[in-house]
Structures are given as C-alpha cells and as structure tokens.
C-alpha cells in the first residue's frame, strides 16, 4: 500500500497472513493444532521470514520462535501465536505475529528510529497440551516434569513424543533475559463485537480479566422417580437448577459493568430418567478485571449457599477451584496505542478489557505489556468463519507499527 517506507505495508501484511492461511487450510480458516505438520510448517515459515526484518531466528525446545535483533539499544518484544484451535479461524494468532514481523521490518531498518522490535511466536496459546505453555516457559513457569506430563487433549499424544516428531526434542528452551526488553506488545482479533458494533477500528486493551472457577455440589437423596411423592423428595438436580436461576437474578445487583458468569457443566448423579438425583454438581466461572468485584460475588455465592443449607431439603457445598489475578496493561503503552490510533485510524479507538486470555497476561508478570484489538466480523472466533475486513487489518497494522515507534521513542 504505502510508498512511505516508514509505515506498514498493508499489501505485504495481507500477503503474509494469506500465506499462513494456506498452510493447513480448512474451508476459509485453518486446522493447525499445536505440533501438527501445518503448525511446524508455519513455525518454519516465520523462521525463514525473520531475516527480512534483520532478526536471527531460533525455534526453541518448546516450539517458541524468536527473532533476535543485533541492533543496539532498546528492544520491544512483539508477537502472538501460530497454532489454531481445531478447525478454526485464520487470524487468531497469526495476526499478532504478522503485525510484529511487519513492525520489525519497518522499524529495524530505519536508522532514524531508536531501538528495535524483536518478534516472538508463543507455542500452544490455544492450550492443546497445556495452558499458555510457550509464554509460561519463557517466564520460567514450566518445569521439565510439566512437559513430561503434558498430553494433546484431542489425540492423547504425549508432548515429548510430539516434540520428537517435529524435531524439537532436546533443544534448549529460551527464557527471558532480564532487562533486554522495554516491554511486550501483542495484537489480536477482538473475538467479540464491541468494536464492530460501534464502528471502531482499534481496541486499546486495559486489562486481561481474571478467571475464578467454582465447583458447587448439591446433596439430596436418591430415590425411585415413580413411587416417591413430590412432597418428600430431596432432588439435588432441582436444587441446582434453582441455584442457577437465583444467581442470574441476584448477581446483576452486585457485579461490575463487564462481569460475566457461566455455568459450564452440570452433572446429575446418577443421571437416569427414573431416578431422583441424589447428587448434582455444577462448574461455575466468573470473569472480571476487578478483584473487589469478584470478592463481592464470591461472598454473595456463599450467602446464597448458606440460605439453601438453612432452608433444605438439599445441602450445598461451594469449592473454589481456580483463581486468576487480572493482568493490567501498561498505562503508557495504552497511551501510545491511542495516539497511534489518532494518527492512523481517525481516533476510532476505545479502551476495553479483554474477556479472553492471551499470552500478554503471562508476559505482564515480568515486564510492561500491552495489547491492541482489531474488529472481528460478527464477533466470531474459534470457528473457521472467523474474519476481519482487509481494510481493518491494514489500519490495525499502521496503528501497531506507529505504536511500536512511540513506545521505543518514549
Ligand atoms: Zn489467540
């Protein structure tokens, strides 16, 4: 697109994204699970591209790809991931990697620009084998025993075997070098419809929400569904259903503006048509970026549980099984993205939290981190129809490159 070499080359960005889409293509999306042949080819594709940006490539022992700059001075780490969910979209991951590559190509060759952009592709952000394995390995959060234990959630193949199959077994893992980077910057599709419905071009991510999860277990009395009169039943399934409805009725008065909650799985014991359930369990999740809101909602859940226990006829027990602190994005980096949006997207940006998890939350534990969102058509992701308008992809690239410059120049 631009003749101005100080800007992102939109046509080059689109061509790179389409090249990655052609590797492991599935309908209009891709099928590129972690350590599959198309994933391996995508890692090699990136490693071959990195020298165009003055970067030397390494694929490490957990499948992370790094492009290291020899240019002296400040370095900004930027990237995302290259594997996909099964039969999913073409932009979730590759968009952030290609933006980082483009920023590195434009900035690293510019003698007037202070510092450089280093590119990374984190392995297994999509969690086929674990939970942010690549980025957690980089920050020192993955042990050899963790790798021994990891298995592909679809095929059951062990991670050791997968690493051997793609030729990465025995390679060293790259870990963070303290002081090397001024921060980490990741672009991603929004995966929601906030930007599209407001006709905005850029989301400036303020935080990545924390996730709290609970196991809520109801105990009643298992009995015959034909002979047990309604008045004397202790139906754990019914108690659970009432609890779900009560959550939906009472949470709105206590939650924050963007709190979300979900009952993800319900199991009835024994779960037979002619038996009154004696036990029932639900897995319940709350997401918010404010720990105070979560604490308030957890208090409310406990109050509701004690009301159930006081009223009968069933008993309920509440167990917290997962907590995750929200990751706050760096304020000065947010300002840089906003300023770049004024310069390249007519100021069509909004500050917003991310309801989905991203590698940036792992990086935020060791360095300043930032994220930029581009619109998702129809808010669709984790499906092969996932898409973003070409014009929005190009605008996002301009904003990303300019924001990298501003961060490095600050
Ligand atoms: Zn992603």
């Amino acid at each position: 697109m631009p003749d101005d070499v100080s800007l992102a080359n939109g046509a080059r960005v689109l061509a790179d994204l389409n090249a990655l889409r052609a590797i492991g293509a599935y309908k209009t999306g891709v099928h590129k699970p972690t350590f599959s042949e198309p994933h391996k080819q995508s890692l090699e594709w990136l490693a071959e591209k990195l020298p165009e940006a003055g970067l030397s490539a390494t694929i490490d022992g957990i499948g992370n790809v790094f492009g290291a700059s020899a240019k002296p001075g400040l370095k900004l780490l930027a990237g995302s991931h290259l594997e996909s969910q099964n039969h999913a979209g073409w932009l979730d991951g590759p968009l952030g990697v290609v933006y980082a590559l483009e920023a590195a190509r434009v900035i690293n060759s510019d003698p007037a620009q202070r510092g450089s952009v280093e590119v990374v592709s984190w392995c297994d952000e999509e969690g086929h084998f674990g939970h942010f394995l690549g980025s957690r390995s980089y920050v020192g959060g993955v042990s050899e025993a963790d790798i021994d234990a990891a298995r592909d959630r679809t095929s059951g193949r062990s991670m050791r075997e997968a690493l051997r199959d793609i030729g990465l077994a025995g390679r060293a893992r790259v870990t963070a070098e303290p002081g090397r980077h001024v921060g980490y910057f990741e672009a991603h599709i929004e995966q929601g419809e906030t930007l599209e419905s407001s006709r905005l071009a850029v989301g400036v991510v303020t935080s990545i929400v924390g996730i709290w999860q609970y196991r809520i277990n109801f105990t009643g009395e298992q009995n015959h569904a034909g002979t047990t009169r309604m008045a004397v039943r202790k139906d754990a399934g019914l108690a659970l259903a009432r609890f779900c409805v009560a959550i939906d009725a009472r949470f709105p008065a206590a939650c924050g503006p963007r709190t979300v909650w979900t009952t993800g799985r319900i199991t009835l014991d024994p779960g037979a048509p002619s038996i009154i359930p004696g036990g029932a369990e639900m897995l319940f999740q709350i997401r918010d970026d404010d720990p105070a809101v979560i604490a308030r909602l957890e208090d409310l859940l406990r109050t509701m549980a004690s009301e159930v226990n006081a009223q009968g006829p069933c008993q309920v027990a509440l167990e917290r099984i997962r907590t995750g602190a929200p990751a706050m994005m760096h304020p000065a980096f947010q300002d840089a993205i906003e300023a770049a949006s004024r310069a390249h997207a007519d100021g069509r940006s909004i500050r917003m939290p991310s309801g989905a998890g991203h590698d940036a939350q792992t990086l935020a534990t060791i360095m300043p981190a930032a994220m930029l969102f581009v619109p998702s058509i129809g808010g669709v992701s984790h499906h092969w129809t996932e898409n973003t308008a070409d014009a929005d992809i190009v605008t996002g690239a301009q904003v990303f490159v300019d924001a990298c410059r501003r961060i490095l120049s600050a």
Side-chain angles (χ1 to χ4, degrees):
M1 201 184 88
D3 295 316
D4 185 345
V5 293
S6 69
L7 298 174
N9 180 332
R12 182 165 63 181
V13 167
L14 291 168
D16 283 349
L17 286 169
N18 279 299
L20 284 167
R21 183 192 217 167
I23 306 172
Y26 173 78
K27 300 189 181 181
T28 60
V30 294
H31 178 60
K32 230 181 273 203
T34 303
F35 303 137
S36 62
E37 183 60 28
H39 181 224
K40 177 191 177 199
Q41 286 173 23
S42 301
L43 303 182
E44 287 165 352
W45 178 92
L46 177 61
E48 282 165 24
K49 283 277 177 188
L50 290 170
E52 287 179 11
L55 300 172
S56 57
T58 306
I59 304 179
D60 84 348
I62 202 162
N64 289 334
V65 184
F66 295 93
S69 168
K71 191 174 172 184
L74 302 172
K75 291 170 179 61
L76 175 64
L77 186 62
S80 190
H81 59 94
L82 288 174
E83 81 285 336
S84 74
Q85 290 287 344
N86 293 333
H87 306 108
W90 67 301
L91 295 170
D92 180 350
L95 181 100
V97 173
V98 169
Y99 277 14
L101 173 65
E102 182 62 12
R105 279 189 294 225
V106 172
I107 287 171
N108 297 356
S109 61
D110 180 354
Q113 172 68 53
R114 194 159 78 108
S116 57
V117 173
E118 296 196 319
V119 176
V120 63
S121 165
W122 305 113
C123 197
D124 204 33
E125 190 274 345
E126 296 293 5
H128 291 272
F129 286 84
H131 165 65
F132 300 121
L133 281 172
S135 54
R136 285 198 300 117
S137 169
Y138 183 71
V139 305
V142 175
S143 68
E144 290 300 308
D146 292 334
I147 297 178
D148 290 339
R151 290 186 171 273
D152 186 324
R153 61 176 148 89
T154 306
S155 69
R157 181 169 65 147
S158 75
M159 187 157 168
R160 290 290 180 204
E161 201 181 325
L163 286 166
R164 240 187 342 266
D165 290 349
I166 71 161
L168 297 178
R171 287 199 195 181
R173 288 190 276 143
V174 175
T175 51
E177 192 184 307
R180 181 177 180 91
H181 296 110
V182 289
Y184 173 70
F185 188 17
E186 177 168 356
H188 207 276
I189 53 168
E190 184 202 337
Q191 305 178 278
E193 43 193 351
T194 300
L195 296 176
E196 185 186 56
S197 61
S198 315
R199 300 187 176 282
L200 296 169
V202 170
V204 181
V205 178
T206 51
S207 62
I208 299 172
V209 299
I211 301 177
W212 277 257
Q213 206 153 290
Y214 303 86
R215 179 180 290 120
I216 308 177
N217 211 289
F218 295 80
T219 310
E221 204 169 80
Q222 183 179 325
N223 211 331
H224 196 292
T227 58
T228 314
R229 287 182 299 112
M230 299 308 288
V232 299
R233 289 187 180 200
K234 295 180 180 176
D235 184 334
L238 181 61
L240 179 149
R242 287 199 171 117
F243 200 77
C244 281
V245 172
I247 287 172
D248 223 44
R250 293 171 69 173
F251 265 38
C255 72
R258 288 185 187 263
T259 317
V260 289
W261 57 88
T262 308
T263 300
R265 193 177 78 197
I266 291 174
T267 43
L268 300 181
D269 180 25
S274 293
I275 303 175
I276 300 162
E281 182 184 281
M282 58 191 265
L283 295 183
F284 182 69
Q285 186 186 84
I286 308 171
R287 296 188 185 211
D288 200 275
D289 66 356
D290 182 350
V293 169
I294 299 284
R296 203 158 68 219
L297 293 174
E298 188 177 300
D299 277 352
L300 178 55
L301 267 186
R302 293 193 188 283
T303 302
M304 290 168 60
S306 46
E307 287 167 10
V308 170
N309 288 333
Q311 280 161 17
C314 296
Q315 296 297 298
V316 59
L318 186 72
E319 181 194 357
R320 193 204 291 130
I321 53 177
R322 172 177 172 179
T323 61
M328 306 316 286
M329 299 292 100
H330 195 256
F333 289 7
Q334 292 179 46
D335 292 345
I337 302 168
E338 204 162 63
S341 300
R342 280 196 294 274
H344 298 284
D346 304 319
R348 290 181 301 127
S349 71
I350 187 175
R351 297 203 182 205
M352 59 187 292
S354 171
H358 294 287
D359 289 308
Q361 74 196 57
T362 311
L363 273 294
T365 63
I366 60 161
M367 62 175 85
M371 284 197 80
L372 172 161
F373 282 162
V374 299
S376 293
I377 294 174
V380 174
S381 74
H382 289 189
H383 189 268
W384 57 267
T385 54
E386 164 192 294
N387 205 3
T388 297
D390 283 0
D392 284 337
I393 292 176
V394 172
T395 300
Q398 297 301 359
V399 172
F400 189 85
V401 171
D402 188 32
C404 287
R405 284 190 185 281
R406 289 168 193 268
I407 291 167
L408 285 168
S409 302

